[in-house]
Amino acid sequence: MNLLLVEDEPNVVSVISRGLTEEGFTVSVAPDGLIGKQLALENEFDLVILDIMLPGINGLELCKIIKAEKPNVPIIMLTALGTTENVVNGLDNGADDYLIKPFKFAELFARIRMLLRRYTGSGSLDQVINVADLQINLSAKSVKRNNTEVVLTATEYRLLEYMAKNKSKILSRIDILESVWDIDFNLGTNVVDVYVNYLRKKIDKNSDQKLIHTAVGLGYVLKG
C-alpha cells in the first residue's frame, strides 16, 4: 500500500518512514505543504499522514484541498497542538483521525490499520509488497513475477518475505539467519548463500531485470 507523509521534521520523518517500510508499506515524503499538495493530487495514495505546522501550505488547508479532490483518501493529522480547539479544527477540515506529538509508532500504526479497515471494508490490510514486477502477497503467502506465479518452498518464501519487507536495505548473513531461521547457526555456515541462490533461480532466472543483488562483503539486497 502507498502512503504519503507530509512532515517537515526530519526525526519524525525518519521514525515513521522506517516503521512503515518495515511493515510493508511504500512511503512517499513531502517536506512542505506545496510539495505535499502536488504529490497528493497527482498520485494515488491509500492514506495520507499530515502535519499541521507546515511551510508553504499549512496542514489544515492542505487537508481541505485533498478531501475536496479525493474524499475517499483517509487522512491522519499530526501536531504538537493538543488543545480541544485544535483537534476540532483538524476534524472539521476533513481529517479522519488526530494524533498528538510525541506519540509511539505502535499507536500511529494502530490508527492506520483502523482507517484502512474502515475505508476498504476489510478486516485486514491488503498486505502486498511490490518490487518492480515482483509481487508478494503476505496474506496469501503467494508470489508472482511479471504476473506469473512463482512456487517457493516455505523457507524460500520466508527468506523472500524478509528481504521484501526490507527492500533496498543491505541485509547481512547474520541478519538473515536470525530473522528467517531464528536458530543459532554456526556463523561459518553457507545456508544463507545456498537459499539466496535457490531464490535467484526462481525469481531472476527468466527476467532481464535482476532483483536479488550481492553487496560484496556485506550481504544481500532485494531491489528493483
Side-chain angles (χ1 to χ4, degrees):
M1 283 193 163
N2 296 317
L3 273 62
L4 173 62
L5 171 61
V6 189
E7 170 64 68
D8 63 333
E9 294 184 38
N11 291 339
V12 176
V13 170
S14 177
V15 170
I16 295 177
S17 296
R18 183 173 64 252
L20 291 177
T21 300
E22 289 175 354
E23 294 294 340
F25 292 95
T26 298
V27 182
S28 299
V29 177
D32 61 53
L34 292 172
I35 296 175
K37 175 184 175 182
Q38 181 180 3
L39 289 176
L41 299 186
E42 293 181 359
N43 299 277
E44 296 300 321
F45 292 102
D46 298 289
L47 183 140
V48 176
I49 302 170
L50 187 59
D51 190 23
I52 286 185
M53 305 296 288
L54 291 169
I57 301 174
N58 71 56
L60 294 175
E61 185 62 28
L62 181 53
C63 184
K64 289 172 60 177
I65 293 170
I66 295 172
K67 281 293 187 178
E69 294 289 329
K70 300 185 176 184
N72 292 323
V73 175
I75 296 177
I76 297 177
M77 303 290 289
L78 304 179
T79 187
L81 307 175
T83 66
T84 300
E85 181 181 0
N86 285 309
V87 173
V88 171
N89 280 339
L91 298 175
D92 283 349
N93 280 279
D96 296 276
D97 206 346
Y98 200 101
L99 200 54
I100 299 169
K101 300 176 182 178
F103 55 85
K104 293 184 178 180
F105 175 79
E107 182 179 2
L108 172 63
F109 188 51
R111 305 287 185 96
I112 290 172
R113 293 199 307 270
M114 178 191 69
L115 285 176
L116 290 175
R117 283 196 297 267
R118 182 193 304 172
Y119 273 79
T120 63
S122 171
S124 61
L125 300 182
D126 183 15
Q127 294 276 322
V128 176
I129 302 176
N130 295 294
V131 183
D133 59 352
L134 176 69
Q135 184 181 78
I136 301 143
N137 188 310
L138 304 184
S139 299
K141 297 192 181 303
S142 62
V143 179
K144 291 182 179 180
R145 181 83 198 262
N146 194 23
N147 292 320
T148 300
E149 185 176 1
V150 179
V151 179
L152 302 177
T153 67
T155 303
E156 290 167 351
Y157 175 81
R158 288 199 306 273
L159 174 58
L160 181 62
E161 179 180 300
Y162 176 63
M163 296 180 76
K165 286 182 174 179
N166 293 276
K167 60 184 178 180
S168 300
K169 177 182 176 182
I170 296 174
L171 303 170
S172 72
R173 288 171 177 81
I174 295 175
D175 289 335
I176 295 172
L177 283 171
E178 291 178 348
S179 299
V180 176
W181 278 269
D182 195 25
I183 295 176
D184 185 19
F185 276 94
N186 182 316
L187 296 183
T189 182
N190 67 343
V191 66
V192 171
D193 307 278
V194 169
Y195 271 89
V196 168
N197 284 332
Y198 288 161
L199 267 187
R200 276 186 169 136
K201 290 177 181 178
K202 295 184 176 182
I203 299 298
D204 285 341
K205 182 178 178 181
N206 298 316
S207 299
D208 293 332
Q209 183 182 11
K210 307 305 179 186
L211 301 180
I212 300 174
H213 304 270
T214 301
V216 179
L218 298 174
Y220 297 99
V221 58
L222 180 73
K223 63 181 180 180

